[in-house]
Amino acid sequence: MASVTLGQSSTNSFKDDLFRQLVDAIRDYAILVLSPDGRVLTWNLGAEVLMGYSSQEILGIHFSRFYLPEAIQSGLPAQELAMAESEDRFAGESWHIRKDGSTFWASVIITPLRDSAGKLCGFAKITQDLTERREAEARINNLNLQLHGISARILHVQDEERRRIARELHDDLGQQITALKMFVDHRGDQELSKIADSALAYIRSLSYLLHPPLLDESGLSIAIKWFIEGFAKRSGIRIEQKIRPDKFPRIGRDKETAVFRVIQESLTNVFRHAKVDRASVELEMQNDRVVVRIRDYGKGLQSDIIAPAEGTIIGIGIAGMRERIRQFSGSLSISRCEPGTLVEATIPIDALDLGSVDTPPG
């Protein structure tokens, strides 16, 4: 029995030594054991490399030494130990400070250590330097912001160009065709007069579709009603529409344009892809947002992955719709219905938006 016990003891000692060597050899992580009150009891090579302290300098020192003064003042180190003890684990990220005063963004995991009776004996703390990852994420976020700004500017320029072309078609070319029609009518050429009428109607329709003057002059709800009425006649699709409230408020030119374009693009995609004779459009003002829903009653999405396909509402322009909504911190979702597909866009609205009407450039 004594020899068996001795053998077990030797084996356990060997395993303990092997484990300590493994922990001591790790350089990418600071791995240490803390006393129940947070003082450093062990210090591996990774901790020395990361923090800059030797074991002789740091053993017995409270682990709050690695935190910024403001974090210590707010009680963050004690909070982390308390959470680890109550939740059996703490994981978080915060700024840490090295011996030389330099700082790094640390990932921290703290686990309580208990004896066989469940009594707290201390804590194991693992720290990793995530500064490079954080800086890379910051660069990516900045790049995304720049791209977002560029996309928003492109959409704005596109809308202004549509306004300009629409105005020139209506005011310049439209007037020239009108003058031509008057001349043809004066000569009594009915065939040419019909051609002139057709060209004039086409120019007006194209001008209004590029940018309906009703959108600037009368607001979103009237422009939508006008567009849906004309679209239904041209496409043969019966479109149900619900606008709440009936007296829909003005919400600013850019946001009205964004909502109008989402409806216009979605219905165009219904005509191109959904192969249906019925659709619906809902525009609703809620407390702090505008919600627009466009639904077709066709085959619906062929899979849960949103992609252009026959029988769906999705087609060319979905990226543009998303970007229009995103520039106002809104959201756009596309989901399967039974039957058909639903596009739902939400744009936040604040008090400054309501009733606002921007004067379009002359």
Side-chain angles (χ1 to χ4, degrees):
M1 179 68 74
S3 61
V4 173
T5 304
L6 180 60
Q8 288 177 342
S9 176
S10 299
T11 301
N12 290 339
S13 177
F14 173 75
K15 289 181 178 178
D16 290 343
D17 289 342
L18 189 63
F19 181 73
R20 278 194 295 269
Q21 290 178 36
L22 174 64
V23 171
D24 287 342
I26 293 175
R27 299 176 61 93
D28 296 331
Y29 295 86
I31 302 175
L32 47 148
V33 174
L34 307 176
S35 66
D37 63 350
R39 297 190 178 275
V40 179
L41 300 180
T42 67
W43 193 247
N44 77 326
L45 179 59
E48 186 172 335
V49 172
L50 183 57
M51 305 292 192
Y53 295 97
S54 66
S55 58
Q56 291 82 5
E57 292 175 298
I58 207 66
L59 291 178
I61 303 298
H62 197 271
F63 85 112
S64 60
R65 172 73 61 88
F66 316 130
Y67 290 72
L68 298 181
E70 51 267 34
I72 298 173
Q73 188 174 2
S74 68
L76 180 61
Q79 292 170 16
E80 290 181 355
L81 293 185
M83 189 173 297
E85 183 179 2
S86 63
E87 302 292 334
D88 278 337
R89 186 177 185 270
F90 168 81
E93 296 181 5
S94 62
W95 287 107
H96 276 41
I97 188 168
R98 298 185 177 91
K99 178 183 176 180
D100 62 6
S102 63
T103 58
F104 66 96
W105 186 251
S107 167
V108 173
I109 297 176
I110 301 176
T111 306
L113 304 175
R114 306 180 188 275
D115 61 18
S116 58
K119 180 181 177 182
L120 181 69
C121 298
F123 298 92
K125 181 176 185 285
I126 301 175
T127 306
Q128 182 185 14
D129 184 357
L130 296 183
T131 306
E132 289 186 4
R133 190 202 71 179
R134 179 181 171 88
E135 290 174 349
E137 289 176 348
R139 288 193 295 270
I140 292 172
N141 288 336
N142 288 334
L143 180 60
N144 285 337
L145 287 174
Q146 292 176 25
L147 292 175
H148 175 68
I150 292 171
S151 297
R153 178 60 184 163
I154 289 173
L155 286 172
H156 179 74
V157 170
Q158 181 187 72
D159 286 335
E160 292 305 316
E161 187 66 8
R162 282 181 169 182
R163 280 188 175 90
R164 184 189 66 79
I165 294 173
R167 190 165 53 245
E168 289 184 0
L169 282 173
H170 184 273
D171 295 345
D172 297 340
L173 185 57
Q175 289 182 9
Q176 293 179 36
I177 298 295
T178 300
L180 177 62
K181 175 176 164 48
M182 291 172 63
F183 176 75
V184 169
D185 287 346
H186 180 71
R187 295 185 58 179
D189 192 326
Q190 294 183 357
E191 192 65 30
L192 284 179
S193 180
K194 289 180 181 179
I195 294 174
D197 279 335
S198 176
L200 191 58
Y202 178 78
I203 289 170
R204 286 173 176 167
S205 176
L206 182 60
S207 168
Y208 289 171
L209 288 174
L210 279 169
H211 186 80
L214 282 173
L215 190 58
D216 292 331
E217 297 165 3
S218 304
L220 185 59
S221 62
I222 293 177
I224 288 173
K225 289 175 182 177
W226 165 84
F227 172 72
I228 290 176
E229 212 173 285
F231 184 87
K233 289 179 181 178
R234 293 189 299 273
S235 66
I237 298 175
R238 180 165 54 90
I239 302 172
E240 303 169 12
Q241 54 178 304
K242 295 180 182 178
I243 298 178
R244 297 183 293 269
D246 292 333
K247 282 189 72 174
F248 202 87
R250 303 301 300 267
I251 57 173
R253 189 180 72 176
D254 289 341
K255 290 186 177 180
E256 288 180 342
T257 299
V259 173
F260 182 86
R261 293 300 181 203
V262 167
I263 294 173
Q264 184 181 41
E265 191 66 48
S266 295
L267 287 178
T268 299
N269 285 330
V270 169
F271 177 72
R272 289 174 177 169
H273 303 284
K275 313 298 183 187
V276 295
D277 60 2
R278 186 163 69 97
S280 65
V281 174
E282 293 182 40
L283 177 66
E284 182 179 4
M285 171 67 71
Q286 298 180 356
N287 291 333
D288 58 351
R289 68 195 66 189
V290 167
V291 179
V292 59
R293 303 179 186 91
I294 307 97
R295 179 181 174 183
D296 70 54
Y297 295 86
K299 299 177 183 178
L301 295 172
Q302 293 184 350
S303 69
D304 292 332
I305 301 175
I306 295 173
E310 184 181 356
T312 77
I313 200 171
I314 308 165
I316 299 171
I318 188 66
M321 286 195 289
R322 286 194 188 281
E323 186 55 43
R324 284 185 182 279
I325 299 302
R326 190 184 295 124
Q327 67 177 304
F328 300 112
S329 301
S331 63
L332 185 140
S333 65
I334 303 172
S335 56
R336 185 197 307 271
C337 292
E338 294 299 338
T341 304
L342 173 69
V343 173
E344 183 170 17
T346 301
I347 294 182
I349 300 294
D350 57 36
L352 296 177
D353 293 315
L354 295 176
S356 63
V357 181
D358 305 314
T359 303

XYZ file of all heavy atoms in Angstrom, residues 213-268:
456
model
N -42.101 65.650 -59.789
C -42.191 66.960 -59.132
C -43.125 66.939 -57.929
O -42.960 67.731 -56.998
C -42.722 67.880 -60.244
C -43.324 66.967 -61.266
C -42.549 65.705 -61.195
N -44.092 66.016 -57.930
C -45.006 65.912 -56.786
C -44.263 65.601 -55.493
O -44.692 65.986 -54.404
C -46.048 64.819 -57.047
C -47.209 65.170 -57.981
C -48.047 63.937 -58.253
C -48.063 66.276 -57.373
N -43.133 64.883 -55.599
C -42.377 64.520 -54.413
C -41.858 65.766 -53.700
O -41.897 65.850 -52.467
C -41.210 63.600 -54.801
C -40.446 62.922 -53.665
C -41.365 62.069 -52.805
C -39.316 62.060 -54.225
N -41.372 66.739 -54.467
C -40.893 67.985 -53.871
C -42.048 68.910 -53.504
O -42.016 69.578 -52.464
C -39.956 68.711 -54.845
C -38.647 67.950 -55.055
O -38.223 67.240 -54.118
O -38.075 68.060 -56.147
N -43.061 68.933 -54.347
C -44.126 69.922 -54.179
C -45.170 69.504 -53.148
O -45.615 70.325 -52.339
C -44.820 70.171 -55.522
C -43.900 70.774 -56.582
C -44.491 70.681 -57.974
O -45.645 70.205 -58.087
O -43.801 71.064 -58.938
N -45.562 68.223 -53.158
C -46.700 67.798 -52.341
C -46.374 66.749 -51.296
O -47.194 66.463 -50.428
C -47.814 67.264 -53.253
O -48.177 68.229 -54.211
N -45.210 66.123 -51.378
C -44.826 65.176 -50.348
C -44.908 63.725 -50.770
O -45.358 63.374 -51.865
N -44.496 62.868 -49.849
C -44.298 61.451 -50.125
C -45.589 60.722 -50.469
O -45.657 59.969 -51.453
C -43.624 60.801 -48.914
C -43.214 59.339 -49.034
C -42.248 59.150 -50.193
C -42.561 58.880 -47.728
N -46.626 60.887 -49.653
C -47.837 60.080 -49.849
C -48.497 60.356 -51.196
O -48.931 59.425 -51.894
C -48.832 60.322 -48.714
O -49.252 61.675 -48.690
N -48.552 61.625 -51.599
C -49.184 61.971 -52.884
C -48.341 61.454 -54.045
O -48.862 60.922 -55.028
C -49.383 63.496 -52.979
C -50.430 63.934 -51.942
C -49.819 63.905 -54.375
C -50.667 65.414 -51.888
N -46.998 61.577 -53.918
C -46.114 61.085 -54.978
C -46.224 59.568 -55.116
O -46.215 59.032 -56.230
C -44.673 61.491 -54.682
N -46.348 58.870 -54.000
C -46.478 57.408 -54.039
C -47.804 57.006 -54.696
O -47.841 56.097 -55.536
C -46.370 56.818 -52.624
C -44.925 56.913 -52.137
C -46.836 55.365 -52.604
C -44.735 56.505 -50.697
N -48.871 57.671 -54.309
C -50.173 57.366 -54.912
C -50.131 57.573 -56.418
O -50.649 56.759 -57.198
C -51.260 58.223 -54.279
C -51.588 57.841 -52.848
C -52.600 58.811 -52.240
C -52.898 58.452 -50.782
N -53.823 59.431 -50.154
N -49.516 58.680 -56.848
C -49.396 58.959 -58.279
C -48.583 57.873 -58.977
O -48.980 57.369 -60.037
C -48.738 60.326 -58.474
C -48.267 60.529 -59.885
C -48.994 60.960 -60.953
C -46.947 60.262 -60.382
N -48.220 60.978 -62.089
C -46.955 60.567 -61.765
C -45.769 59.807 -59.797
C -45.829 60.414 -62.567
C -44.642 59.671 -60.587
C -44.680 59.970 -61.955
N -47.460 57.512 -58.377
C -46.596 56.507 -59.014
C -47.301 55.153 -59.102
O -47.247 54.482 -60.142
C -45.291 56.370 -58.227
C -44.433 55.228 -58.705
C -43.765 55.310 -59.907
C -44.328 54.053 -57.970
C -42.985 54.251 -60.367
C -43.568 52.989 -58.420
C -42.892 53.092 -59.627
N -47.935 54.716 -58.012
C -48.595 53.407 -58.002
C -49.720 53.361 -59.027
O -49.904 52.359 -59.731
C -49.118 53.087 -56.588
C -47.939 52.803 -55.643
C -50.078 51.903 -56.615
C -48.341 52.572 -54.208
N -50.448 54.474 -59.130
C -51.554 54.531 -60.106
C -51.029 54.326 -61.523
O -51.538 53.506 -62.299
C -52.240 55.902 -59.994
C -53.721 55.863 -60.304
C -54.356 57.211 -60.018
O -54.552 57.548 -58.826
O -54.626 57.927 -60.995
N -49.963 55.047 -61.859
C -49.389 54.929 -63.195
C -48.730 53.581 -63.417
O -48.846 52.991 -64.499
N -48.044 53.087 -62.396
C -47.355 51.798 -62.522
C -48.359 50.672 -62.744
O -48.128 49.766 -63.546
C -46.531 51.533 -61.270
C -45.706 50.283 -61.334
C -44.437 50.300 -61.875
C -46.206 49.073 -60.857
C -43.684 49.135 -61.956
C -45.467 47.909 -60.929
C -44.191 47.947 -61.482
N -49.480 50.727 -62.031
C -50.509 49.691 -62.181
C -51.069 49.677 -63.602
O -51.296 48.607 -64.181
C -51.622 49.920 -61.163
N -51.252 50.862 -64.174
C -51.768 50.934 -65.539
C -50.760 50.378 -66.536
O -51.111 49.640 -67.457
C -52.106 52.381 -65.910
C -53.331 52.929 -65.203
C -53.575 54.375 -65.608
C -54.795 54.951 -64.883
N -54.996 56.385 -65.240
N -49.474 50.726 -66.347
C -48.456 50.287 -67.301
C -48.160 48.792 -67.188
O -47.889 48.122 -68.175
C -47.153 51.073 -67.077
C -47.246 52.549 -67.401
C -45.873 53.202 -67.363
N -45.254 53.098 -66.054
C -45.431 53.966 -65.062
N -46.249 55.002 -65.245
N -44.822 53.819 -63.911
N -48.192 48.264 -65.965
C -47.765 46.880 -65.731
C -48.902 45.868 -65.747
O -48.683 44.673 -65.954
C -47.052 46.779 -64.384
O -47.960 47.048 -63.319
N -50.122 46.335 -65.493
C -51.254 45.418 -65.379
C -51.312 44.715 -64.035
O -52.117 43.804 -63.831
N -50.469 45.146 -63.086
C -50.457 44.549 -61.745
C -51.404 45.342 -60.835
O -51.318 46.572 -60.759
C -49.033 44.562 -61.142
C -48.094 43.731 -62.013
C -49.042 44.028 -59.715
C -46.639 43.790 -61.565
N -52.297 44.629 -60.166
C -53.199 45.283 -59.210
C -52.439 45.503 -57.891
O -51.941 44.554 -57.292
C -54.438 44.416 -58.980
C -55.432 45.017 -57.998
C -56.773 44.292 -58.105
N -56.622 42.852 -57.953
C -56.689 42.243 -56.767
N -56.883 42.935 -55.654
N -56.576 40.917 -56.698
N -52.364 46.752 -57.474
C -51.547 47.093 -56.308
C -52.428 47.699 -55.212
O -53.037 48.755 -55.412
C -50.423 48.078 -56.686
C -49.546 47.482 -57.789
C -49.578 48.421 -55.459
C -48.537 48.439 -58.356
N -52.508 47.005 -54.098
C -53.212 47.543 -52.929
C -52.276 48.485 -52.181
O -51.092 48.189 -52.017
C -53.639 46.401 -52.007
C -54.515 45.362 -52.684
C -54.694 44.119 -51.819
O -54.319 44.185 -50.625
O -55.164 43.100 -52.338
N -52.792 49.610 -51.722
C -51.945 50.544 -50.995
C -52.622 51.018 -49.717
O -53.824 51.273 -49.685
C -51.563 51.737 -51.871
C -52.733 52.469 -52.509
C -52.256 53.661 -53.319
O -51.575 54.539 -52.822
N -52.610 53.688 -54.606
N -51.816 51.088 -48.659
C -52.280 51.593 -47.371
C -51.274 52.622 -46.877
O -50.076 52.320 -46.776
C -52.402 50.459 -46.354
C -53.465 49.420 -46.686
C -53.513 48.335 -45.622
C -54.542 47.265 -45.958
N -54.561 46.165 -44.945
N -51.755 53.818 -46.584
C -50.896 54.887 -46.074
C -51.494 55.386 -44.771
O -52.657 55.805 -44.729
C -50.765 56.041 -47.090
C -50.113 55.515 -48.378
C -49.950 57.185 -46.502
C -49.961 56.549 -49.472
N -50.712 55.287 -43.701
C -51.170 55.712 -42.378
C -50.145 56.648 -41.741
O -48.948 56.313 -41.717
C -51.385 54.483 -41.471
C -52.473 53.546 -41.964
C -52.688 52.396 -40.980
N -51.522 51.518 -40.945
C -51.364 50.449 -41.717
N -52.278 50.128 -42.612
N -50.286 49.699 -41.625
N -50.610 57.822 -41.254
C -51.979 58.353 -41.277
C -52.342 58.887 -42.666
O -51.469 59.012 -43.525
C -51.913 59.492 -40.253
C -50.503 59.962 -40.333
C -49.665 58.747 -40.584
N -53.624 59.199 -42.837
C -54.082 59.707 -44.127
C -53.366 61.006 -44.491
O -52.960 61.197 -45.634
C -55.602 59.933 -44.100
C -56.356 58.617 -43.998
O -55.805 57.600 -44.454
O -57.469 58.608 -43.450
N -53.215 61.899 -43.505
C -52.449 63.136 -43.736
C -51.005 62.854 -43.345
O -50.578 63.137 -42.233
C -53.018 64.290 -42.913
C -54.275 64.909 -43.489
C -54.659 66.190 -42.759
C -53.693 67.310 -43.098
N -54.134 68.618 -42.507
N -50.272 62.289 -44.273
C -48.904 61.866 -43.974
C -47.998 63.095 -43.906
O -47.986 63.915 -44.830
C -48.404 60.902 -45.046
C -47.285 60.032 -44.590
C -47.544 58.833 -43.940
C -45.972 60.417 -44.789
C -46.510 58.024 -43.503
C -44.930 59.608 -44.365
C -45.194 58.416 -43.719
N -47.221 63.247 -42.820
C -46.400 64.457 -42.661
C -45.180 64.456 -43.579
O -44.746 63.416 -44.062
C -45.973 64.386 -41.187
C -45.974 62.929 -40.865
C -47.094 62.336 -41.665
N -44.626 65.642 -43.817
C -43.363 65.762 -44.533
C -42.227 65.331 -43.607
O -42.236 65.627 -42.413
C -43.128 67.207 -44.992
C -44.220 67.790 -45.879
C -44.456 66.997 -47.157
N -43.290 66.902 -48.017
C -43.011 67.736 -49.020
N -43.845 68.746 -49.287
N -41.951 67.559 -49.777
N -41.234 64.639 -44.170
C -40.134 64.134 -43.337
C -38.760 64.538 -43.889
O -37.746 63.947 -43.537
C -40.198 62.602 -43.211
C -40.160 61.930 -44.582
C -41.440 62.182 -42.441
C -40.048 60.411 -44.529
N -38.731 65.546 -44.743
C -37.463 65.973 -45.308
C -37.226 65.372 -46.677
O -37.559 64.211 -46.930
N -36.650 66.173 -47.572
C -36.521 65.772 -48.973
C -35.723 64.487 -49.150
O -36.116 63.597 -49.905
C -35.872 66.902 -49.773
C -35.891 66.664 -51.275
C -35.246 67.795 -52.028
N -33.786 67.784 -51.853
C -32.960 68.623 -52.475
N -33.450 69.544 -53.280
N -31.660 68.555 -52.276
N -34.578 64.369 -48.456
C -33.711 63.209 -48.670
C -34.372 61.918 -48.202
O -34.267 60.879 -48.875
C -32.383 63.415 -47.948
C -31.524 64.481 -48.612
O -31.786 64.786 -49.793
O -30.616 65.020 -47.957
N -35.046 61.956 -47.064
C -35.700 60.747 -46.562
C -36.922 60.397 -47.412
O -37.198 59.216 -47.656
C -36.084 60.918 -45.093
C -34.868 60.943 -44.169
C -35.241 60.961 -42.707
C -33.969 60.911 -41.843
N -34.265 60.920 -40.401
N -37.650 61.416 -47.871
C -38.782 61.140 -48.766
C -38.296 60.508 -50.069
O -38.904 59.556 -50.579
C -39.546 62.434 -49.045
C -40.343 62.932 -47.855
C -41.100 64.210 -48.153
O -40.767 64.897 -49.143
O -42.031 64.534 -47.388
N -37.184 61.009 -50.583
C -36.625 60.442 -51.814
C -36.200 58.994 -51.600
O -36.429 58.127 -52.453
C -35.422 61.277 -52.288
O -35.841 62.620 -52.564
C -34.811 60.688 -53.552
N -35.580 58.713 -50.448
C -35.134 57.339 -50.160
C -36.306 56.373 -50.123
O -36.250 55.285 -50.718
C -34.381 57.310 -48.831
N -37.389 56.749 -49.431
C -38.566 55.872 -49.344
C -39.196 55.688 -50.719
O -39.561 54.574 -51.117
C -39.594 56.451 -48.351
C -40.894 55.640 -48.394
C -39.033 56.455 -46.938
N -39.303 56.782 -51.470
C -39.903 56.697 -52.806
C -39.095 55.759 -53.699
O -39.660 54.925 -54.417
C -39.987 58.089 -53.439
C -40.632 58.094 -54.795
C -41.998 58.175 -54.928
C -39.854 57.999 -55.951
C -42.606 58.164 -56.175
C -40.439 57.975 -57.200
C -41.822 58.068 -57.326
N -37.753 55.871 -53.657
C -36.908 55.021 -54.504
C -37.012 53.547 -54.113
O -36.951 52.655 -54.969
C -35.455 55.477 -54.433
C -35.191 56.844 -55.041
C -35.544 56.894 -56.497
N -35.271 58.210 -57.060
C -35.845 58.714 -58.140
N -36.763 57.987 -58.786
N -35.551 59.907 -58.590
N -37.155 53.256 -52.817
C -37.313 51.869 -52.381
C -38.606 51.283 -52.952
O -38.627 50.155 -53.454
C -37.313 51.776 -50.843
C -37.782 50.401 -50.377
C -35.910 52.044 -50.299
N -39.681 52.050 -52.897
C -40.957 51.593 -53.452
C -40.848 51.431 -54.967
O -41.276 50.418 -55.538
C -42.090 52.555 -53.077
C -42.331 52.520 -51.562
C -43.372 52.219 -53.842
C -43.314 53.560 -51.075
N -40.257 52.408 -55.622
C -40.115 52.374 -57.076
C -39.278 51.168 -57.511
O -39.667 50.426 -58.416
C -39.460 53.675 -57.547
C -39.351 53.802 -59.057
C -38.661 55.104 -59.454
O -37.684 55.524 -58.834
N -39.180 55.759 -60.495
N -38.132 50.952 -56.856
C -37.255 49.847 -57.216
C -37.905 48.494 -56.929
O -37.807 47.546 -57.721
C -35.937 49.967 -56.452
C -34.847 49.040 -56.934
C -34.375 49.382 -58.349
O -34.103 50.568 -58.623
O -34.317 48.453 -59.169
N -38.581 48.398 -55.779
C -39.206 47.130 -55.401
C -40.324 46.748 -56.367
O -40.420 45.586 -56.791
C -39.758 47.225 -53.971
O -38.715 47.404 -53.036
N -41.168 47.718 -56.731
C -42.253 47.410 -57.655
C -41.717 47.089 -59.052
O -42.268 46.231 -59.760
C -43.240 48.573 -57.720
C -44.136 48.731 -56.491
C -45.055 49.945 -56.643
C -44.969 47.479 -56.247
N -40.649 47.765 -59.442
C -40.021 47.444 -60.724
C -39.530 46.001 -60.726
O -39.689 45.265 -61.713
C -38.848 48.402 -61.008
O -39.341 49.739 -61.072
C -38.172 48.056 -62.327
